[in-house]
Amino acid sequence: MTTTLSPTASLTFDVSRRPDPLPDAEREAILADPGFGKKFTDHMVTATWRQGEGWKDAKVVAYGPLSIDPACAVLHYAQEIFEGMKAYRHADGSIWTFRPEANAERFQRSARRLTLPELPVADFIGSLRALVEVDQAWVPEPGATGEKSLYLRPFMFAFENFLGVRPSAEVLYAVIASPAGAYFAGGVKPVSLWISTDYARAGAGGTGAAKCGGNYASSLAGQLEGAEHGCDQAVFLDSSTQTLIEELGGMNLFLVYKDGRLVTPAMNGTILEGITRSSILELATDLGLTPEERQIPIQEWKDAAASGELAEVFACGTAAVVTPVGELKWAGGSVDHRGPGHVDEVALKIRTQLLDIQYGRAEDTRNWLTRLA
Ligand SMILES: *Cc1c(COP(=O)(O)O)cnc(C)c1O
């Protein structure tokens, strides 16, 4: 990979405010009930990279369609990566984001795996700041559930019009933003999981550890199979032995034992290293839990649910934060660790702790927050 820029290079984002932003009343109506990923702010960031020239043309412009040639490489070979993060409005009106260096570094790792150019960490964070500065009216108040935010979606893709198979010599980086409501509109509700054995989302040596669109494309068939069996999500296993738990299509997974162990699959090259996951591992000891990263046979879940040792299961990621998991189903069977009167106490405690840090309601003792505006 030849990127000509030094890692500390800093782009300047040229701002062209659109003359026709959405009227205040219409924006407020969207922020009152934003849903997820349906409405977008007035502006977006774009920057381009060319082999031998590096990054240039960094700007904030009116949100709108990109013009893409039918021969654009990304449409054919899926050389694309993305990130997902949120901007949170604190009580004093200031706007913050959570561990953006971690997202920036993961974006660089994803770029290396997909042979895309690395964007310097400072420029990644600069691009978020540039967009949120201009569209700050789009960052909602936390609201009654205390968890509305502005979802930020940085992405990068092969932008060269060429059907030959090689890393693209031209790349587009962009950031769009979308107001997001409480993930669970009617309160936190456990999801059911389908064990996907016909389909894996990633394999050894593949792109499972990179945040790329292709992983999501390959997870959809398993997801759909799960839906056909009445499940909300699919859990993927390792593709070679189909015995070890990996993760969901877009969330990492934790098992909580009654003895206080908090267990999650260890990074193995095919699992995406979630920032929510690593934050939870860091918070675990504060919450009196014993974190464990290791291989987890899917049979262990079934056995521990049946024996009563398993207290809770939850999935985690930026969008939903922490989602309790209930029933586990597979071809020919199912198990549910929840007894009568079950409460997802640990999952909800972790969820509240993370949200309280993100919204400035709890002290940020680990310096996880960065101010955007
Ligand atoms: C983004 C993602 C996650 C969660 O990562 P966070 O940094 O916690 O949002 C988990 N699994 C996959 C496959 C992902 O793409």
Side-chain angles (χ1 to χ4, degrees):
M1 174 75 348
T2 49
T3 128
T4 51
L5 283 189
S6 77
T8 53
S10 208
L11 293 171
T12 304
F13 293 84
D14 187 54
V15 178
S16 309
R17 279 178 190 263
R18 69 189 301 162
D20 59 341
L22 200 69
D24 291 353
E26 286 179 44
R27 186 188 61 245
E28 288 307 326
I30 291 170
L31 297 187
D33 184 19
F36 183 81
K38 296 182 299 193
K39 301 284 185 183
F40 298 90
T41 64
D42 289 313
H43 298 87
M44 63 183 182
V45 159
T46 60
T48 53
W49 176 92
R50 266 206 194 85
Q51 180 103 54
E53 295 173 28
W55 289 102
K56 59 174 189 165
D57 290 339
K59 54 194 175 192
V60 179
V61 293
Y63 180 93
L66 300 169
S67 172
I68 293 192
D69 190 280
C72 186
V74 69
L75 299 179
H76 303 274
Y77 309 125
Q79 196 192 357
E80 185 267 357
I81 58 171
F82 66 96
E83 272 302 325
M85 36 210 313
K86 287 174 170 173
Y88 310 94
R89 190 180 287 281
H90 286 193
D92 66 357
S94 59
I95 299 166
W96 301 73
T97 194
F98 186 71
R99 307 187 70 182
E101 318 74 25
N103 292 90
E105 285 162 12
R106 186 170 68 188
F107 200 55
Q108 292 185 328
R109 292 197 298 278
S110 300
R112 285 198 290 275
R113 180 62 185 84
L114 276 285
T115 61
L116 285 161
E118 287 177 42
L119 184 68
V121 170
D123 291 332
F124 180 91
I125 297 173
S127 71
L128 307 176
R129 220 174 238 134
L131 182 59
V132 169
E133 172 75 35
V134 171
D135 280 338
Q136 46 182 289
W138 283 90
V139 182
E141 298 286 344
T145 57
E147 52 179 295
K148 281 189 198 170
S149 62
L150 183 65
Y151 185 79
L152 304 173
R153 169 52 61 85
F155 60 108
M156 186 196 290
F157 61 89
F159 202 43
E160 187 181 355
N161 304 324
F162 177 57
L163 295 184
V165 181
R166 57 150 170 77
S168 183
E170 199 175 334
V171 164
L172 188 82
Y173 170 70
V175 189
I176 56 174
S178 173
Y183 195 82
F184 299 97
V188 175
K189 192 175 137 282
V191 296
S192 53
L193 294 191
W194 171 256
I195 305 178
S196 176
T197 45
D198 290 349
Y199 306 105
R201 66 171 282 282
T207 55
K211 207 167 176 75
C212 65
N215 292 340
Y216 281 69
S218 78
S219 75
L220 294 177
Q223 209 57 30
L224 196 64
E225 189 185 66
E228 282 161 4
H229 289 86
C231 293
D232 300 302
Q233 298 262 333
V235 53
F236 294 96
L237 306 179
D238 74 290
S239 66
S240 38
T241 72
Q242 300 210 8
T243 58
L244 303 171
I245 299 173
E246 296 227 310
E247 61 169 320
L248 313 194
M251 284 190 275
N252 297 115
L253 200 65
F254 280 90
L255 305 191
V256 188
Y257 280 87
K258 292 209 169 126
D259 63 10
R261 281 175 296 140
L262 179 69
V263 194
T264 194
M267 288 300 121
N268 61 356
T270 56
I271 297 174
L272 195 285
E273 189 166 4
I275 292 155
T276 318
R277 172 191 178 278
S278 52
S279 305
I280 290 171
L281 286 170
E282 282 195 51
L283 289 175
T285 39
D286 293 2
L287 297 169
L289 300 162
T290 312
E292 260 178 38
E293 294 175 80
R294 60 170 169 83
Q295 290 190 339
I296 311 176
I298 189 73
Q299 190 61 38
E300 176 179 326
W301 179 345
K302 296 178 185 177
D303 293 345
S307 72
E309 288 165 274
L310 187 61
E312 294 175 40
V313 180
F314 64 85
C316 68
T318 297
V321 194
V322 167
T323 306
V325 173
E327 192 182 22
L328 177 69
K329 272 178 134 179
W330 59 92
S334 72
V335 73
D336 196 330
H337 59 280
R338 297 171 301 172
H342 175 86
V343 183
D344 289 290
E345 195 185 321
V346 173
L348 296 179
K349 197 157 79 176
I350 291 174
R351 184 167 214 281
T352 302
Q353 180 66 26
L354 275 171
L355 286 168
D356 284 351
I357 295 170
Q358 290 165 342
Y359 286 89
R361 300 185 289 250
E363 202 190 336
D364 176 26
T365 54
R366 291 176 174 79
N367 261 316
W368 278 344
L369 299 185
T370 291
R371 188 164 177 177
L372 294 178

